[in-house]
């Protein structure tokens, strides 16, 4: 939901008698002039308001906030720099959080904040979009526009940074769209994939994977002899004439209905790869020694 200012902070701002009242903190604190007046009310001898410019231009914003950062560093007030930058660019929830921290530092009081009004670390409008209906949420293009400010492009013209940021917004929008489609399959006519439709029995704790595999399939469903004959025919067509003697000895073992567990045999490796389709008990019959 949209970040809102607590009632205690609004009363506190009215008691300071600012030149321009703070109605919407996201807009009124962006240029830093109103925030400078808040600090001037407590440090009137150390902050000169004639040094601030009351304007919307980027240069005016940078100058005002540079003076504020210099003063905060001098007084050692723990206001994060990234929070100031987010307020400068008019990010969602940044100005409200800045007022909360300033209120706590100057008055030594804790303002009450409603739990539903959460903010993320990037100060994006994603928490607000998640509280809307799926047909009311912004699309991908609108999400990029909402979370990319023109002042960011001017102050930090890094193509790689903004490209990476846009990719993260696109990935988040794609994940949200998949979540919405999974929650409303009838509206979007979503069809389950083959892997989702396949039934899988859970593995019991008292069974090993091999025992579970043997009990899960019918031992008489398929024969290892027929599979071995097909695989042997393919191998004979692939191998050269130099391997005829080796294939002949392999065929002799297969005709007996037994497959020797030899890791050097190419057919044995092929059968191992097909264990998900053929019962394990029909594939490997260990020769008794």
């Amino acid at each position: 939901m949209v970040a809102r200012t607590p009632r205690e902070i609004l009363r506190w701002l009215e008691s300071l008698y600012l030149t321009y009242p703070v109605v919407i903190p996201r807009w009124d604190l962006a240029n830093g002039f109103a925030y400078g007046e808040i600090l001037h009310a407590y440090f009137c001898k150390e902050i000169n308001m004639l040094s601030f410019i009351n304007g919307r231009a980027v240069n005016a914003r940078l100058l005002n906030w540079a003076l504020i950062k210099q003063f905060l560093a001098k007084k050692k007030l723990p206001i994060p720099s990234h929070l100031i930058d987010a307020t400068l660019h008019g990010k969602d929830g940044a100005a409200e959080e800045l007022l909360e921290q300033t209120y706590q530092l100057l008055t030594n009081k804790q303002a009450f904040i409603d739990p539903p009004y959460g903010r993320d670390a990037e100060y994006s409008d994603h928490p607000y979009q998640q509280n809307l209906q799926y047909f009311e949420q912004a699309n991908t293009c609108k999400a990029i526009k909402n979370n990319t400010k023109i002042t960011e492009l001017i102050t930090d013209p890094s193509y790689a940074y903004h490209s990476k940021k846009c990719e993260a917004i696109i990935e988040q929008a794609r994940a949200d769209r998949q979540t919405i489609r999974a929650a409303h399959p009838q509206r979007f006519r979503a069809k389950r994939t083959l892997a989702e439709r396949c039934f899988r029995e859970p593995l019991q704790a008292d069974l090993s994977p091999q025992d579970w595999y043997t009990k899960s399939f019918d031992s008489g469903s398929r024969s290892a002899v027929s599979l071995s004959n097909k695989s042997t025919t393919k191998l004979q067509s692939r191998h050269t004439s130099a391997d005829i003697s080796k294939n002949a000895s392999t065929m002799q073992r297969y005709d007996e209905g037994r497959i020797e567990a030899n890791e050097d045999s190419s057919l044995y490796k092929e059968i191992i790869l097909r264990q998900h389709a053929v019962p394990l008990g029909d594939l490997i019959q260990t020769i008794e020694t």
Side-chain angles (χ1 to χ4, degrees), residues 201-264:
E201 295 183 357
L203 180 63
Q204 300 180 5
D206 56 343
L207 293 179
S208 62
Q210 185 173 359
D211 296 339
W212 173 84
Y213 188 88
T214 305
K215 294 182 180 181
S216 299
F217 295 92
D218 185 11
S219 59
S221 59
R222 296 183 62 179
S223 175
V225 179
S226 60
L227 178 63
S228 61
N229 292 335
K230 294 180 182 179
S231 302
T232 306
T233 305
K234 294 180 181 180
L235 289 174
Q236 287 180 349
S237 61
R238 295 176 182 176
H239 290 284
T240 57
S241 57
D243 299 330
I244 296 178
S245 59
K246 182 178 179 180
N247 293 336
S249 60
T250 306
M251 283 290 297
Q252 185 176 1
R253 292 197 302 269
Y254 298 157
D255 293 337
E256 298 176 359
R258 293 176 297 178
I259 300 176
E260 183 179 1
N262 186 10
E263 296 182 356
D264 297 333

Side-chain angles (χ1 to χ4, degrees), residues 8 33 36 42 48 74 77 86 96 98 101 113 127 131 134 151 160 169 175 181 191 195-196 213 226 240 281:
E8 296 88 342
F33 185 84
Y42 287 86
N48 185 10
K74 179 180 178 180
L77 297 177
E96 289 79 1
L98 179 62
Q101 294 189 12
I113 303 174
N131 288 276
Y134 58 88
T151 54
I169 296 174
R181 290 184 177 182
K191 296 182 180 180
E196 294 174 349
Y213 188 88
S226 60
T240 57

Side-chain angles (χ1 to χ4, degrees), residues 26-261:
R26 176 182 174 183
W27 297 346
D28 298 332
L29 296 180
N31 62 349
F33 185 84
Y35 191 77
E37 283 193 325
I38 295 174
L39 297 178
H40 176 73
Y42 287 86
F43 308 95
C44 57
K45 295 183 179 180
E46 301 183 32
I47 293 182
N48 185 10
M49 291 306 300
L50 298 177
S51 301
F52 290 83
I53 301 175
N54 187 17
R56 294 291 181 178
V58 179
N59 294 332
R61 296 186 185 187
L62 295 176
L63 177 61
N64 294 341
W65 285 110
L67 295 175
I68 292 173
K69 287 182 179 179
Q70 183 179 1
F71 175 78
L72 294 177
K74 179 180 178 180
K75 288 296 183 179
K76 297 182 179 180
L77 297 177
I79 302 294
S81 179
H82 70 276
L83 181 59
I84 295 177
D85 295 337
T87 306
L88 186 150
H89 299 307
K91 293 286 189 177
D92 292 337
E96 289 79 1
E97 185 174 350
L98 179 62
L99 286 177
E100 293 169 6
Q101 294 189 12
T102 306
Y103 175 79
Q104 183 177 0
L105 291 174
L106 299 180
T107 62
N108 198 19
K109 297 179 182 180
Q110 183 70 32
F112 175 76
I113 303 174
D114 292 338
Y117 295 87
R119 311 182 184 100
D120 57 355
E122 299 296 333
Y123 299 104
S124 63
D125 65 338
H126 186 260
Y128 167 71
Q129 297 291 337
Q130 292 300 309
N131 288 276
L132 298 177
Q133 296 294 333
Y134 58 88
F135 54 84
E136 298 176 343
Q137 297 181 7
N139 53 21
T140 306
C141 297
K142 184 64 175 177
I144 295 176
K145 179 181 179 298
N146 292 341
N147 298 289
T148 304
K149 307 300 180 180
I150 187 62
T151 54
E152 290 182 296
L153 302 177
I154 296 175
T155 57
D156 188 8
S158 175
Y159 177 80
Y161 170 75
H162 294 293
S163 176
K164 184 177 180 180
K165 182 179 178 181
C166 292
E167 289 179 0
I169 296 174
I170 293 173
E171 291 296 331
Q172 183 65 47
R174 184 181 293 110
D176 294 341
R177 185 170 63 251
Q178 292 177 357
T179 304
I180 293 173
R181 290 184 177 182
H184 306 85
Q186 297 179 354
R187 177 178 176 83
F188 296 95
R189 298 180 181 179
K191 296 182 180 180
R192 295 186 301 170
T193 61
L194 181 61
E196 294 174 349
R197 287 180 291 176
C198 292
F199 176 75
R200 291 179 174 85
E201 295 183 357
L203 180 63
Q204 300 180 5
D206 56 343
L207 293 179
S208 62
Q210 185 173 359
D211 296 339
W212 173 84
Y213 188 88
T214 305
K215 294 182 180 181
S216 299
F217 295 92
D218 185 11
S219 59
S221 59
R222 296 183 62 179
S223 175
V225 179
S226 60
L227 178 63
S228 61
N229 292 335
K230 294 180 182 179
S231 302
T232 306
T233 305
K234 294 180 181 180
L235 289 174
Q236 287 180 349
S237 61
R238 295 176 182 176
H239 290 284
T240 57
S241 57
D243 299 330
I244 296 178
S245 59
K246 182 178 179 180
N247 293 336
S249 60
T250 306
M251 283 290 297
Q252 185 176 1
R253 292 197 302 269
Y254 298 157
D255 293 337
E256 298 176 359
R258 293 176 297 178
I259 300 176
E260 183 179 1

